[in-house]
Amino acid sequence: MAEPVVRVPETKVALSTASVYPESTATAFEIAARLGYDGVEIMVWTDPVSQDIEALRRLSDYHQVPVLAIHAPCLLITQRVWSTDPWVKLQRARAAAERLGSSSVVVHPPFRWQRQYVRDFVTGIWRMAGETDVRFAVENMYPWRYRDREMLAYAPDWDVTKDDYRHFTVDLSHTATARTDAMAMIDRMGDRLAHVHLADGKGSAKDEHLVPGRGTQPCAELLERLAANAYDGHVVIEVNTRRAMSAAEREADLAEALAFTRLHLARPGSRPAASKAPASEASRASASGGAAASGGASAASGGTSAASGGTSAASGGTSAACESRTPGASGAHPS
């Protein structure tokens, strides 16, 4: 009988530049390269480098880290980034993706007060998707909560599966904040799921973006399903490290998140009967199964992790390109 092996996952794992806040976009490239991420997702926000395609290209070339996705500037704090017209923002995000070789543009549903944008959003996204090979992946959001009040801030709906889009992004911190069933949402998205923002949450009114495995969301189950279903999109680590006490603690959290993701994306396979797997392949498989992607730092290094114990760098708080607090809002969130 063929001896079972764990395969190196084919799905690329990217680091969201929002995950390094308050550090810069440039720092995200440096950390992604050092830890062994497959690429980055650019959160376009107030950092001038995140808005500058040529600067991003230079960083990508220097660090040999591709830009796998562009997150369009959809946040409250980015209302004036790349124009005040939301359609111009999406056009510029598409142009950035095409010039940088990115496969996806992540976009939020409109805020409810953007009435004309809301009215045209579904048909407009379909129109733009038909003009390019770049995927416009619309991301699930959540109701904003304050004490016992709930405000529906997004339209047509925070649950994007209620509308017809060609491609979706699922964010597991957002499913936690929405207190909705993440796996049921994945089922509704079906083969239109094109992009994943991997983070965790505990159902707080705040959008927590915890390191995967530190909350209640089915992060491992989701990754294993992606692997079993030959998912062809990217998985992006989008966690909150704002409370990290040091650069080393932030990096430990990001290494842990990468190792968790690669471990659960790897699924059992069968070794060919005629020959054994090359040593290099076996070594890579071993590395993906729990070792940190960084040069020698274990991602899940037990009790010695700088981020271990009760002082999680990613817990609570707000994130890199976080929303400003708004009356009735659930708090800040990074995506």
Side-chain angles (χ1 to χ4, degrees):
M1 178 180 295
E3 184 179 348
V5 297
V6 175
R7 298 190 308 165
V8 176
E10 297 177 0
T11 301
K12 291 183 178 180
V13 183
L15 178 64
S16 168
T17 59
S19 296
V20 306
Y21 183 82
E23 299 294 339
S24 66
T25 300
T27 300
F29 276 92
E30 181 182 342
I31 292 174
R34 186 159 55 245
L35 295 182
Y37 277 83
D38 298 312
V40 296
E41 174 180 294
I42 302 298
M43 171 66 80
V44 180
W45 69 300
T46 56
D47 180 351
V49 171
S50 74
Q51 305 170 32
D52 187 332
I53 295 173
E54 288 310 311
L56 294 171
R57 190 196 305 280
R58 289 193 295 271
L59 284 167
S60 178
D61 290 344
Y62 179 80
H63 292 287
Q64 291 297 289
V65 172
V67 177
L68 299 181
I70 302 292
H71 195 309
C74 305
L75 308 176
L76 286 173
I77 62 169
T78 61
Q79 291 181 86
R80 296 185 177 279
V81 172
W82 281 0
S83 168
T84 57
D85 184 332
W87 291 113
V88 173
K89 292 175 186 284
L90 294 189
Q91 290 163 2
R92 292 191 64 171
R94 179 186 66 191
E98 290 172 342
R99 290 174 61 184
L100 293 167
S102 310
S103 62
S104 299
V105 167
V106 178
V107 57
H108 292 179
F111 292 114
R112 189 167 291 275
W113 54 84
Q114 296 175 296
R115 294 181 181 176
Q116 185 61 48
Y117 187 37
V118 170
R119 206 162 18 245
D120 300 335
F121 185 69
V122 177
T123 56
I125 290 292
W126 271 99
R127 182 183 67 252
M128 293 190 72
E131 297 169 351
T132 179
D133 291 332
V134 174
R135 295 174 171 182
F136 280 88
V138 186
E139 183 174 7
N140 63 300
M141 299 305 292
Y142 48 82
W144 288 0
R145 295 188 180 92
Y146 180 70
R147 295 182 180 174
D148 59 347
R149 295 185 178 184
E150 184 174 288
M151 173 183 173
L152 299 179
Y154 300 98
D157 204 282
W158 63 263
D159 181 352
V160 293
T161 64
K162 292 183 178 180
D163 291 284
D164 182 27
Y165 301 108
R166 181 177 294 182
H167 295 114
F168 293 110
T169 296
V170 70
D171 184 305
L172 268 68
S173 179
H174 295 178
T175 59
T177 303
R179 300 168 190 167
T180 192
D181 185 328
M183 299 310 292
M185 179 171 281
I186 294 296
D187 288 338
R188 294 194 298 274
M189 290 179 174
D191 61 7
R192 291 182 291 170
L193 174 61
H195 203 70
V196 173
H197 281 167
L198 193 68
D200 216 330
K202 297 179 180 179
S204 166
K206 294 181 179 180
D207 184 19
E208 297 169 287
H209 283 267
L210 305 179
V211 171
R214 297 184 185 176
T216 60
Q217 293 304 286
C219 297
E221 183 181 352
L222 167 65
L223 293 170
E224 289 160 9
R225 182 178 295 190
L226 296 180
N229 292 344
Y231 169 71
D232 67 351
H234 304 317
V235 174
V236 177
I237 303 299
E238 190 182 66
V239 297
N240 179 357
T241 64
R242 184 175 184 177
R243 293 188 177 181
M245 300 301 292
S246 66
E249 185 175 335
R250 173 175 294 108
E251 201 158 309
D253 279 351
L254 297 177
E256 179 182 332
L258 175 60
F260 179 100
T261 304
R262 289 217 170 114
L263 173 63
H264 291 288
L265 280 173
R267 61 190 175 99
S270 295
R271 182 173 296 172
S275 63
K276 294 184 178 180
S280 59
E281 179 181 343
S283 175
R284 290 195 303 271
S286 174
S288 72
S294 60
S298 169
S301 55
T304 62
S305 169
S308 63
T311 58
S312 167
S315 62
T318 56
S319 161
C322 57
E323 299 277 12
S324 301
R325 286 192 177 275
T326 303
S330 65
H333 63 278
S335 111

